[in-house]
Amino acid sequence: MTHETVPLYGGKLSRRVSIRDLRTAKERGERWPMLTSYDMYTAEIFDAAGIPVLLVGDSAGNNVYAHADTVPVTVDEMIPLARAVVRSTSRALVVCDLPFGSYQQGPEQALETSIRIMKETGVQAVKFEGGLPVVESVRRIVEAGIPVMAHVGFTPQSVNALGGYRVQGRGADADRLIESALALEEAGAFAVVLEMVTPQVAAEVTKRLSIPTIGIGAGPDVDAQVLVWQDMAGLREGPLPRFVKQYGDLRGALTDATKAFADDVVSGSFPAEEHTYH
Ligand code: KIV
């Protein structure tokens, strides 16, 4: 079978996006969008809209499970979300995060968790956070045949160690970040998320790597951009990180629909004749 080489976004691929397609897109200088998804309807919508990569992020911690951050999320909580996203998509490459505590003990634990997630969810790849300390885990998992997306810069699972939500890659940190990204590519990662890093460092990493860089708060000079879908669509309430742009007001739309329903029930105008069986 020949390898279709249509654009990642806007092209009409008749199969799932592969890690090879992502590399080809980088070679072509193509930019592409990525979103998180944790459920059936968003997965269906994003897939139909042509988003080439969907991440079942451990941001489920603070966007699905009502925790303050991602630290408490477990593998058992990730698996049903990832299964739903895989079942609801036919084109997107689906990536599942390894949650905190499920890989930090080293390559064997990381491999065991990755195998479980691949077998029990049907995702096409895993992602986990960290720079040089996780390079050997990346190598071990990739050697076992599992594609790995890396994640450096601000790594939310280490929020306590990093002292809060802070931009990474400033000053002397820049060289370490670039070195980490290069080492992760050398270990076999197929892409790397750069979260909250200076645009200069992100641009330098993007130039030096042959795998795609995916920015979130990393400026414009990266290969792809990712946002948590509830941020992108305006479902979340409260102060937003500077890197978020809201493309909708789902919270407003859902609030209006909820109030209209409640008012109709109270006034007796729902259900009307057309909603009633005879
Ligand atoms: O869990 C997540 O949503 C992520 C993205 C922010 C990249 O890791």
Side-chain angles (χ1 to χ4, degrees):
M1 199 174 72
T2 57
H3 185 72
E4 294 166 87
T5 53
V6 296
L8 275 186
Y9 175 71
K12 289 267 174 284
L13 261 190
S14 55
R15 53 163 175 77
R16 273 199 200 268
V17 171
S18 69
I19 62 170
R20 188 173 157 200
D21 295 318
L22 302 187
R23 195 177 269 256
T24 307
K26 170 120 185 173
E27 286 161 11
R28 289 198 294 240
E30 212 179 293
R31 275 200 252 264
W32 46 273
M34 167 167 145
L35 284 171
T36 64
S37 177
Y38 321 89
D39 74 299
M40 168 179 153
Y41 289 126
T42 61
E44 274 177 15
I45 291 166
F46 301 156
D47 198 44
I51 301 295
V53 183
L54 292 178
L55 171 67
V56 186
D58 63 347
S59 50
N62 44 325
N63 289 279
V64 174
Y65 290 119
H67 294 300
D69 53 41
T70 62
V71 174
V73 177
T74 65
V75 175
D76 287 345
E77 287 174 326
M78 293 297 293
I79 284 176
L81 309 182
R83 270 189 197 138
V85 172
V86 171
R87 283 191 198 126
S88 310
T89 51
S90 57
R91 183 180 175 275
L93 185 148
V94 183
V95 183
C96 183
D97 258 335
L98 306 193
F100 182 63
S102 72
Y103 62 93
Q104 281 87 351
Q105 288 173 38
E108 287 313 307
Q109 189 203 20
L111 177 61
E112 199 178 312
T113 306
S114 301
I115 289 174
R116 180 172 172 215
I117 285 183
M118 297 297 287
K119 284 178 95 80
E120 295 187 27
T121 68
V123 295
Q124 288 77 51
V126 298
K127 171 169 95 52
F128 52 97
E129 298 177 4
L132 296 176
V134 303
V135 164
E136 288 318 309
S137 295
V138 171
R139 197 183 309 284
R140 183 86 180 84
I141 296 167
V142 171
E143 278 170 5
I146 300 174
V148 175
M149 179 181 281
H151 183 158
V152 297
F154 177 73
T155 45
Q157 293 176 12
S158 307
V159 61
N160 298 303
L162 293 171
Y165 292 77
R166 309 163 80 94
V167 176
Q168 306 293 307
R170 288 203 163 120
D173 222 26
D175 287 344
R176 203 167 45 87
L177 214 147
I178 295 166
E179 187 196 349
S180 300
L182 286 165
L184 290 160
E185 172 174 41
E186 187 278 322
F190 72 88
V192 57
V193 171
L194 304 174
E195 181 162 354
M196 288 177 73
V197 307
T198 63
Q200 294 79 9
V201 168
E204 181 65 17
V205 171
T206 302
K207 197 171 75 185
R208 292 183 53 183
L209 296 194
S210 54
I211 56 172
T213 55
I214 304 158
I216 174 162
D221 296 324
V222 288
D223 299 302
Q225 297 284 344
V226 60
L227 284 177
V228 168
W229 85 257
Q230 292 91 338
D231 294 350
M232 179 279 295
L235 188 60
R236 167 172 164 181
E237 191 180 42
L240 292 167
R242 181 189 168 105
F243 60 73
V244 170
K245 177 171 175 185
Q246 290 185 308
Y247 289 86
D249 177 21
L250 270 199
R251 197 177 185 91
L254 202 49
T255 303
D256 290 349
T258 306
K259 285 184 176 158
F261 163 69
D263 289 348
D264 278 4
V265 170
V266 171
S267 70
S269 55
F270 176 82
E273 187 58 21
E274 67 266 32
H275 311 116
T276 307
Y277 295 109
H278 291 289

